[in-house]
Amino acid sequence: TNKLTTQDHPFLRPIKEARIRTLDYEKACEIYNDRLSNIDCWTFVLCGNLPADDVLEELLTKYIGSIPKEGDPGSVKTRDTVTPLLPEFPTQPIVRELAVGIV
């Protein structure tokens, strides 16, 4: 069914516990640092019902302005600075019934 509904796209395949346990944290940190540690290369696009300019500027300063630039402490991640999230899998199957009304 998964191949039928997702056309077996690798991003949409279910992740199995065995696969998670083989992840290379050093490689993940290397990719993260290569792609994300230099905020000067990022482009932010804001659209929709945005707040007034003064409120927006305050929010941008708080959230985007606090992202460390390349070379700043905290901008480069290593295995020692990243805490892996260990997945917790249920010990038993979880079954839920869902009833949906027909329109």
Side-chain angles (χ1 to χ4, degrees):
T1 307
N2 186 48
K3 289 183 180 184
L4 179 65
T5 58
T6 66
Q7 299 176 355
D8 201 29
H9 193 285
F11 290 173
L12 302 174
R13 290 181 193 148
I15 300 173
K16 297 181 179 167
E17 180 181 1
R19 172 69 177 115
I20 292 173
R21 296 197 185 283
T22 65
L23 296 178
D24 181 347
Y25 290 103
E26 297 297 330
K27 184 66 176 173
C29 289
E30 181 183 317
I31 292 169
Y32 172 88
N33 291 324
D34 181 57
R35 309 289 196 290
L36 301 174
S37 67
N38 187 1
I39 193 172
D40 292 336
C41 296
W42 297 9
T43 301
F44 294 91
V45 178
L46 307 174
C47 60
N49 188 12
L50 301 172
D53 287 351
D54 57 332
V55 175
L56 181 60
E57 183 177 350
E58 184 180 325
L59 292 170
L60 293 173
T61 301
K62 180 177 180 179
Y63 293 106
I64 295 177
S66 65
I67 299 172
K69 287 189 170 192
E70 189 173 29
D72 289 350
S75 67
V76 175
K77 304 296 181 195
T78 65
R79 186 179 179 105
D80 297 331
T81 61
V82 174
T83 304
L85 299 174
L86 300 176
E88 293 183 17
F89 294 93
T91 56
Q92 301 175 40
I94 298 174
V95 178
R96 297 238 173 23
E97 288 187 30
L98 175 64
V100 179
I102 298 175
V103 179

